[in-house]
Amino acid sequence: MTERISSSTLEIKDLDVSFIQGEKEANALRGISLSLKRKEVHSLVGESGSGKTVTSTCIMGLLPPQVARINRGEIFLGEQNILALEEKDQRKIRGKEIAMVFQEPARYLNPTLKVGEQITEMLRLHLGMDKGEAVTRALEILDLVGLDGGKRILGSYPHELSGGMKQRIMIAIAISCDPSFLIADEPTTALDVTLQLQILNLILSLKNRLDMGILFISHDLRVVRDISDWISVIYAGRIVESASKEELFSNPRHPYTRMLFESIPDADKRGKRLKAIPGKVPDAENIPQGCAFHPRCPIAEEICGSNQPETKDVESNSALDSHTAACHLIGKQWKN
Amino acid sequence: MEKLIELKNIEKVFKSHKLISVKKDDYVAVKNVSLDIEKNTIFGLVGESGCGKTTLARSVMLLDPPGSGEILFNGTNIAALSGKDLKPYRARMQIVFQDPNSALNPKMSVYNCMKEGLVNIRYPRDKIRFRINELLDLVGISPGHAERFPHEFSGGQKQRIVIARALSMEPEFLVLDEPVSNLDVSIQAQIINLLLDLKDEFSLTYLFISHDLNLVSYLSDQVAVMYKGQIVESAETEKIMESPLHPYTLRLFSSAPGQEKNELFEAEEGYSDGLPDGFTYFPPCAESLLRLIDTGDGHKVGCYAFNGS
Amino acid sequence: MEFLLFIVRRFLRLILTILIISTIIFFVIRVIPGDPALVVAGIDASEDDIQAIRARLGTDVPVAIQYTRWLGDIVRFDFGESMISGASVNKLIMERFPLTLTLAVLGIVLGIIVAIPLGVMSAVHRWSFWDYFGMVYSQMGMAIPSFWLGMILLLVFAVKIPLFPLFGSDSLKNLVLPAIALGFARAAVILRLTRAAMVEELSREYIITARAKGLTDRMIRYKHALRNAMIAVVTVTGIQFGYMLGGAIIVEQVFSLPGLGRLFLYAIYQRDFPLIQGGVVFIAVIFSLVNFAVDILYSLLNPKIRIS
Ligand SMILES: Nc1ncnc2c1ncn2[C@@H]1O[C@H](COP(=O)(O)OP(=O)(O)O)[C@@H](O)[C@H]1O
Ligand SMILES: Nc1ncnc2c1ncn2[C@@H]1O[C@H](COP(=O)(O)OP(=O)(O)O)[C@@H](O)[C@H]1O
Ligand code: SF4
Ligand SMILES: [Mg+2]
Ligand SMILES: [Mg+2]
C-alpha cells in the first residue's frame, strides 16, 4: 500500500477564480477563505450561482483548464499548497485524500459500468489492491453506507437502483479510499425529505466513524441545521458571514443571512407573507460595484454601492468562537 | 363553502405495452383517490416522489387517457366529456409543472410562447400585445423582455413566465405540480408570494403539489398525504399539523429539515415501532386498498389496521 | 430471462420485417402495370411462348394464389430457377455470396480499424494534427465516389506499382483494393460519428466523477468515455455494413469480381425475374439480420435497453 499523507486540515486562502470566454470574464470566486478540520462539518450555504460548485471543483483540481483561471489564492492540505502541485501529484490526492459527492447521482455515475467496477477501480488504483481484495473492501463499504445485498448491488447498473441508493453508491465511491476530507455538493437537493434525512444521517455517521472533515454544500439553511459544526454563507463569490452553527442560527448578523432565514416557509408563518429576497444572484460576469448584495439589500446606504465591505469580526454570543461578517452596516437596526 | 373540484375514486393504471411478456406488469399509479377542493382555497398534496402526485395531477387535467373515476368541475363530470363539450373546461383549469424548461419552447420568444395560447382561445388579435404585457407585468417580468428567449431567464423567472401563460387562459383552477421544487429557497419565497397574490386577485383555487411539508403546511388550507398511489390522511392543515394520525404522515413530519429534533430520526423502510395507538403494522397498508375513516371534523385517515380508538 | 425475452421479441420483429418486405416486392413486381411475361418474351413472341413463360413465372393463376405460393416459397426459402441459366436461384446466390460477404466484412474491418482510433484521437486531442487529419479524411471520404477510388487504386497499386493483382478473385490479396475502395467512405461516416460521440461523452458528468476519483486520463478516456461512445458507434457501424452490401455491387463491377453484385446486375439486364425477386429478398434478409445483430450488440453495450 502506498503511504498516506493524512492531513488534519484543509485550508482555502483568498481564492479568486475567473472563467474567460472570449472577451468576457466571469469572476466566480472573489477571495474565498474557508478552513476545514477533520471530524468537523463545515457547511457552505448560498443561492444557486453564488460559487459553491466552483469552490468545490477548484479544491478537487477539476476546473476546466481551457476556460478557468485561478487569479489568486492557495489551498493547503496540511502543509502542502495543492494548487501548486503538478497534475500527476494532484491525481494522487483526488479520491484518496479529498473525495467528492455530487448533486445528481444519476448523471454522475457511469451508466454502462457496473457499480462494483465503479467502486473497485479506485481501490485498485489508489490502494494497490488486487481484484479480490477490492471486492471484499467494496462489500464492507456498501455495508458502511447502509446498503445490504452487497453482491447483488455490486453486479447491478446504476439505473437499476433507486435515487436514494444511487446517492449511497456515490458516497460509497467517495469514502472507499478512506479520505481525510469529503466535499458533498448538494448531495440531498435532488432527494425527497425522507431520503434526504437518511443521507444526512449517513454522512454524519460516516464522519464520526471515519474521522473525516466534511465540506457540506447546500442552498437551504434548514438542511444544514442538524449536521453542521460551522457555517459559512457565500454570496456572489465571497463569504459574507461565517460562524459556528449555534451562533449563526441564534445571531445571524449579515442582512443576506437574515433574509435567507426569513424566506424559509413554515407553518408558523401561515397567513403572513414570506420575506422573499427580491431579484437574483448577479452573474459572475456582472458583479455590482461595492457590496455585491446592495441591489437586493433592504438597508443599503450610499457607501454600499461604492465600497466593498471588509470581512470583520463581529460580536459573538459565545466568547470562544469567532464570528465574522462582511457588511458596512452590521450594527444597523432594521425592522421586519 | 362551495366545492369547485370533486374527485371521486380516481384510479390510473399504466398498462404494460410489451408484445410478449411473461408476467403482466400493469402498474396502478393512483388508487381510488377521492378529494374535494373548495372554491378559492389551496389544497396541498404531499408525498414522496413516485407516489403518484403527477399522475393524479395529469388525470385531473385530463391530459392522459383517462383512468376510471369522476372529476366534477362545478358539479359537472368533465371526465365524461369530450371534444367540443370539454373545450371550455380546458381553459378554466391550467397546470404548472416543476420544470419550466420543458414547459417553454426554447426556440420561441416569450412573446410567441404566450401568443400561441391566446390565439388558440381566439383572443382579439389587436389586443394580444397589450394583454401579454399586462400578464408579464403581473408576474414581475419586465414587458420589455418579451422578445427574449427562455434561456435568457433564470429558473425563477422562467417559472413566472409559465405562470403568466397559465393565467392568460383566465383559469379558475390551477394545478401547481411542485412549481418551486427546482428553485432555491429564497426564490421559492418570491414565487410563493406571487401565487398567493394572484390567488387573491383572481379568486383562484389551487391544487398545490409538493414533497415539502413545510411549504405545504405554510400555504394550504387543506392537506392530503399521498403514499404509494393512495391518500393516507387528509384534513385541515391546522388539524393535521397538530395531531397527525397516520404513521406515514408522522414520518414525513419528522423527516422535514429544520424540524426541531432531539436526536436525528432514523427513517427506515418498514418500521413498526413507535406507532400511535390504534395502529398495528404499517407496510401492509401499502399493498392493500385503504379505507378512509373520518375521525371527526373532516379529518380522514386511511389505515386498514385502524381500530377506531 | 429478460434478455432472452428481448432476443425473442427482436427475432419476431425480424420475421415480421422480412414478411413485409417480401410482400412489397411481390406486389411491386406483380401489380404494377405490364405483364412480366411480355417483358421477358420480347416484342415478337407468339401467344404460346408468352403463355409458357407465364406458366414458368407462375403468373398464370390469380394473384391470391400467386401470393400464397410466394409466401410458401419464402418460408421454404425457395425462389425457383433462373429463367436464363435454369439453375436454382438459391444455388446461384450461394455461389456468389461468400465473395461479396468477404468483401463487405473486409471493407468494414478496414473502416473500423481506421475510423475508430482516428475518431477517438480527434475527440481526445481536439484541434490537434490528428483532428485536422480526421476532418480532411472525412471530407474526402464523403466526396470521393467508390468506383472512382477503385479505379485510381487499380491504376496506382496494380498497374503502376504492381503490388496487387489486376484481375482474379481467388486469393485474399485480390480483395484488398476493392475492400479499401468500399471501406473508405464508410470509414469517413464512422469516424465523424466516433468523434462526435466521444466529444459528447467526455463532456458528461460521470467523467467529472471519474476525474474526482483520481483516475488517469487513459482510464477516463478508454474505460469510461469510449465504452459509452461505442453504443452509438456500433449502431452506425451496423447500418454502414448494410450499406456496404449495396456498395459492393458497384465495386465488384470496377474490379470485375464475380460477386452478388454482378449476378444481380446481369439478372436485371436480362430480366431474370425469379433471380431478381430472390436477390431482393435475400438482400433484405441480410439487411434485417445485420440489424438484428446490431440490436443485440447494442443491448449488450447499453444495459438500460434490456429493461425497457
Ligand atoms: N465553466 C464555467 N464557465 C463560465 N462560468 C461559469 C462556469 N462554471 C460556473 N460559472 C459561473 O460561476 C458562477 C458560480 O457558479 P456555481 O459555482 O456553479 O454556483 P453554485 O454551485 O453556487 O450554484 C455562476 O455565475 C456561473 O455562471
Ligand atoms: N407514463 C407512465 N408509464 C408507466 N409508469 C408511469 C408513467 N408515469 C408515471 N409512472 C409511474 O407511476 C408512478 C407515479 O409517478 P408520478 O405520478 O410521476 O409520481 P410523483 O409525481 O409523485 O413523483 C411512478 O412509479 C412512475 O414510475
Ligand atoms: S454592505 Fe450594505 S448592501 Fe451590503 S449587506 Fe451590508 S448593508 Fe447591505
Ligand atoms: Mg452548484
Ligand atoms: Mg411529480
Side-chain angles (χ1 to χ4, degrees):
Chain A
M1 269 197 212
T2 38
E3 137 205 21
R4 268 197 89 95
I5 316 169
S6 228
S7 324
S8 59
T9 56
L10 179 66
E11 198 150 3
I12 297 149
K13 288 189 175 154
D14 198 24
L15 193 61
D16 192 293
V17 173
S18 292
F19 294 96
I20 316 286
Q21 286 148 324
E23 296 285 283
K24 287 190 211 151
E25 174 173 350
N27 196 190
L29 300 185
R30 305 180 301 135
I32 295 275
S33 299
L34 283 173
S35 85
L36 188 56
K37 297 186 200 57
R38 289 188 78 161
K39 307 181 200 181
E40 183 188 84
V41 179
H42 189 146
S43 292
L44 185 60
V45 180
E47 290 167 276
S48 300
S50 54
K52 305 182 298 292
T53 299
V54 175
T55 305
S56 44
T57 37
C58 187
I59 298 172
M60 294 300 293
L62 296 177
L63 288 175
Q66 311 86 347
V67 289
R69 192 181 67 203
I70 299 175
N71 302 317
R72 285 200 309 276
E74 290 147 330
I75 299 175
F76 284 99
L77 179 66
E79 302 290 293
Q80 204 169 30
N81 178 6
I82 55 177
L83 285 182
L85 292 178
E86 303 215 353
E87 166 70 16
K88 113 177 158 330
D89 297 315
Q90 282 194 7
R91 232 175 10 232
K92 289 185 189 135
I93 292 172
R94 275 179 219 150
K96 187 153 176 285
E97 285 298 315
I98 312 174
M100 184 158 172
V101 175
F102 300 90
Q103 178 173 347
E104 291 169 276
R107 290 154 165 259
Y108 281 87
L109 289 169
N110 188 330
T112 59
L113 273 187
K114 286 187 176 154
V115 165
E117 183 59 31
Q118 299 195 48
I119 301 177
T120 55
E121 65 175 347
M122 250 179 121
L123 295 167
R124 293 161 68 185
L125 180 75
H126 287 305
L127 305 181
M129 292 181 173
D130 66 29
K131 201 161 187 158
E133 288 168 338
V135 168
T136 314
R137 172 83 182 122
L139 289 171
E140 284 169 25
I141 298 164
L142 286 187
D143 199 43
L144 211 58
V145 297
L147 286 171
D148 24 274
K151 277 248 161 59
R152 193 176 50 77
I153 289 178
L154 288 186
S156 46
Y157 290 97
H159 72 272
E160 294 165 339
L161 307 173
S162 70
M165 284 164 98
K166 274 187 268 214
Q167 194 54 289
R168 283 176 198 265
I169 297 292
M170 285 269 24
I171 295 173
I173 291 173
I175 63 163
S176 62
C177 295
D178 201 3
S180 311
F181 296 98
L182 178 72
I183 302 173
D185 189 359
E186 311 216 27
T188 64
T189 302
L191 303 175
D192 281 355
V193 278
T194 43
L195 288 174
Q196 183 169 43
L197 184 64
Q198 290 175 21
I199 297 293
L200 290 177
N201 282 341
L202 173 65
I203 290 177
L204 209 52
S205 81
L206 289 173
K207 179 203 83 166
N208 293 331
R209 271 201 239 181
L210 306 176
D211 292 342
M212 284 185 297
I214 294 175
L215 181 62
F216 188 93
I217 293 173
S218 176
H219 70 262
D220 190 341
L221 279 164
R222 294 174 297 182
V223 172
V224 302
R225 171 176 201 143
D226 293 318
I227 70 163
S228 317
D229 297 303
W230 199 270
I231 298 175
S232 291
V233 179
I234 183 173
Y235 187 78
R238 277 172 76 85
I239 303 291
V240 296
E241 184 162 14
S242 184
S244 71
K245 188 225 344 223
E246 290 75 18
E247 172 71 14
L248 194 88
F249 271 76
S250 62
N251 186 25
R253 301 297 299 277
H254 196 280
Y256 181 57
T257 315
R258 296 169 67 165
M259 293 184 81
L260 277 183
F261 275 115
E262 281 167 0
S263 60
I264 296 173
D266 65 50
D268 300 344
K269 298 179 185 154
R270 273 177 72 81
K272 290 187 223 143
R273 268 180 87 79
L274 291 173
K275 297 229 170 46
I277 311 179
K280 62 184 178 70
V281 177
D283 283 342
E285 274 167 33
N286 255 321
I287 309 264
Q289 279 280 312
C291 172
F293 187 57
H294 84 261
R296 303 172 78 187
C297 180
I299 60 165
E301 291 180 5
E302 211 174 307
I303 184 175
C304 306
S306 54
N307 294 8
Q308 178 153 295
E310 297 287 319
T311 303
K312 285 183 288 219
D313 281 323
V314 297
E315 219 175 284
S316 170
N317 283 347
S318 132
L320 295 174
D321 292 331
S322 73
H323 181 166
T324 58
C327 170
H328 292 302
L329 307 171
I330 214 72
K332 182 171 173 178
Q333 294 293 315
W334 61 330
K335 53 196 176 305
N336 299 328
Chain B
M1 268 291 223
E2 206 181 333
K3 289 172 190 160
L4 181 68
I5 299 286
E6 291 165 77
L7 305 184
K8 296 200 164 142
N9 310 319
I10 300 291
E11 186 140 314
K12 176 75 193 176
V13 181
F14 289 112
K15 295 223 160 42
S16 68
H17 286 296
K18 287 177 184 165
L19 204 60
I20 315 168
S21 156
V22 251
K23 53 181 189 296
K24 233 177 134 56
D25 37 10
D26 287 358
Y27 182 78
V28 188
V30 171
K31 283 179 227 172
N32 196 32
V33 167
S34 301
L35 45 89
D36 300 340
I37 304 176
E38 282 165 8
K39 229 173 212 151
N40 202 11
T41 65
I42 302 179
F43 193 103
L45 181 67
V46 264
E48 60 197 79
S49 62
C51 74
K53 304 183 294 297
T54 299
T55 307
L56 180 64
R58 295 182 64 92
S59 303
V60 172
M61 296 297 300
L62 300 169
L63 289 175
D64 288 329
S68 62
E70 291 177 19
I71 301 164
L72 305 189
F73 190 109
N74 255 337
T76 314
N77 180 11
I78 56 171
L81 301 180
S82 61
K84 226 169 65 228
D85 300 330
L86 185 59
K87 205 169 175 212
Y89 288 98
R90 287 237 185 252
R92 291 168 72 183
M93 38 205 265
Q94 290 293 315
I95 186 163
V96 174
F97 288 111
Q98 175 170 358
D99 181 12
N101 292 317
S102 54
L104 295 171
N105 183 342
K107 297 204 178 77
M108 260 195 214
S109 70
V110 167
Y111 180 82
N112 285 330
C113 261
M114 299 209 34
K115 190 173 137 189
E116 239 183 5
L118 288 169
V119 169
N120 220 346
I121 55 166
R122 297 175 196 280
Y123 199 83
R125 285 208 172 241
D126 50 331
K127 298 205 182 98
I128 284 184
R129 180 165 291 274
F130 181 79
R131 176 73 176 144
I132 291 177
N133 289 347
E134 186 181 57
L135 286 162
L136 288 177
D137 193 48
L138 195 65
V139 298
I141 297 287
S142 157
H145 294 170
E147 296 304 331
R148 295 194 179 177
F149 288 82
H151 70 89
E152 297 176 71
F153 294 92
S154 69
Q157 289 174 318
K158 277 185 254 192
Q159 202 58 296
R160 288 173 188 268
I161 294 165
V162 173
I163 292 170
R165 195 177 54 182
L167 286 178
S168 70
M169 300 290 108
E170 298 176 34
E172 291 158 60
F173 176 55
L174 267 185
V175 176
L176 304 158
D177 187 3
E178 312 220 31
V180 298
S181 296
N182 280 1
L183 306 174
D184 282 357
V185 184
S186 54
I187 308 298
Q188 287 189 9
Q190 295 178 1
I191 302 290
I192 295 300
N193 282 339
L194 172 67
L195 287 170
L196 289 175
D197 291 345
L198 293 172
K199 174 184 167 261
D200 288 344
E201 189 165 346
F202 300 106
S203 306
L204 298 172
T205 305
Y206 292 160
L207 172 59
F208 188 92
I209 298 175
S210 175
H211 66 259
D212 184 345
L213 203 77
N214 282 317
L215 185 53
V216 168
S217 51
Y218 162 74
L219 99 171
S220 25
D221 302 292
Q222 290 273 130
V223 175
V225 178
M226 194 168 187
Y227 180 65
K228 296 200 173 170
Q230 314 194 53
I231 303 289
V232 295
E233 184 163 2
S234 97
E236 273 173 28
T237 308
E238 276 89 359
K239 265 181 217 140
I240 213 166
M241 296 293 299
E242 269 161 33
S243 53
L245 289 175
H246 197 276
Y248 181 71
T249 312
L250 282 172
R251 178 162 139 190
L252 271 185
F253 274 58
S254 47
S255 7
Q259 296 288 321
E260 289 289 355
K261 299 181 195 79
N262 295 330
E263 59 201 78
L264 283 180
F265 178 81
E266 271 297 328
E268 278 171 60
E269 199 56 55
Y271 67 100
S272 60
D273 300 334
L275 299 188
D277 290 345
F279 297 93
T280 44
Y281 185 53
F282 168 51
C285 306
E287 313 307 329
S288 64
L289 198 63
L290 286 180
R291 208 151 35 90
L292 280 182
I293 300 149
D294 200 330
T295 60
D297 306 335
H299 190 159
K300 291 181 192 151
V301 60
C303 181
Y304 88 151
F306 186 75
N307 58 23
S309 64
Chain C
M1 187 59 215
E2 274 298 321
F3 190 51
L4 208 69
L5 213 70
F6 168 80
I7 294 186
V8 170
R9 222 178 291 137
R10 285 296 139 106
F11 188 74
L12 286 181
R13 204 156 87 181
L14 169 76
I15 303 280
L16 196 71
T17 314
I18 294 174
L19 211 68
I20 292 171
I21 292 174
S22 45
T23 303
I24 292 172
I25 293 164
F26 173 85
F27 284 106
V28 164
I29 291 185
R30 299 300 127 129
V31 176
I32 48 168
D35 184 346
L38 286 179
V39 180
V40 173
I43 315 168
D44 37 41
S46 68
E47 189 55 35
D48 286 350
D49 286 346
I50 294 172
Q51 211 45 54
I53 292 173
R54 282 205 184 108
R56 266 178 76 189
L57 284 174
T59 53
D60 53 345
V61 292
V63 173
I65 296 177
Q66 287 181 41
Y67 183 61
T68 19
R69 275 194 201 157
W70 169 245
L71 287 187
D73 289 348
I74 300 239
V75 171
R76 283 179 285 117
F77 230 82
D78 175 6
F79 300 103
E81 279 119 42
S82 159
M83 294 187 54
I84 310 296
S85 68
S88 109
V89 168
N90 276 345
K91 185 162 157 287
L92 285 173
I93 290 178
M94 280 312 161
E95 269 172 16
R96 306 295 190 95
F97 181 55
L99 182 70
T100 303
L101 184 67
T102 318
L103 186 56
V105 169
L106 222 63
I108 204 84
V109 168
L110 276 175
I112 289 172
I113 290 175
V114 172
I116 294 184
L118 198 51
V120 171
M121 289 287 279
S122 301
V124 168
H125 305 290
R126 262 194 283 174
W127 318 122
S128 68
F129 167 77
W130 287 111
D131 197 12
Y132 285 112
F133 181 78
M135 274 186 237
V136 172
Y137 176 87
S138 59
Q139 285 299 327
M140 283 180 12
M142 307 274 173
I144 298 177
S146 59
F147 72 87
W148 187 82
L149 181 64
M151 290 196 292
I152 297 294
L153 286 173
L154 267 182
L155 206 67
V156 177
F157 296 105
V159 180
K160 290 264 186 253
I161 319 167
L163 283 174
F164 296 96
L166 197 48
F167 297 108
S169 60
D170 35 333
S171 80
L172 214 55
K173 217 173 166 185
N174 289 307
L175 294 182
V176 173
L177 292 183
I180 293 175
L182 194 56
F184 192 76
R186 303 297 127 211
V189 177
I190 300 172
L191 164 69
R192 286 176 91 135
L193 188 98
T194 307
R195 181 184 187 274
M198 266 311 265
V199 167
E200 159 102 27
E201 292 302 327
L202 283 169
S203 69
R204 299 270 294 273
E205 288 88 347
Y206 66 83
I207 295 294
I208 299 177
T209 309
R211 293 179 61 206
K213 285 159 139 184
L215 302 186
T216 61
D217 287 346
R218 276 178 72 102
M219 289 173 85
I220 292 169
R221 286 167 194 162
Y222 301 112
K223 182 169 169 187
H224 286 263
L226 186 56
R227 198 186 182 89
N228 285 282
M230 283 317 279
I231 294 174
V233 173
V234 160
T235 314
V236 165
T237 306
I239 295 167
Q240 295 300 316
F241 183 68
Y243 281 140
M244 231 163 216
L245 288 170
I249 295 181
I250 294 164
V251 171
E252 281 170 8
Q253 262 331 87
V254 174
F255 288 87
S256 324
L257 294 173
L260 275 186
R262 285 181 101 198
L263 181 69
F264 294 154
L265 219 55
Y266 285 126
I268 292 167
Y269 287 151
Q270 298 172 331
R271 306 211 164 77
D272 190 345
F273 278 92
L275 190 50
I276 295 172
Q277 282 179 5
V280 175
V281 172
F282 183 77
I283 298 252
V285 169
I286 295 292
F287 226 95
S288 309
L289 278 175
V290 170
N291 271 336
F292 177 62
V294 169
D295 271 359
I296 304 284
L297 202 56
Y298 179 79
S299 80
L300 285 176
L301 283 169
N302 186 358
K304 271 189 203 170
I305 201 79
R306 267 175 262 162
I307 301 301
S308 59

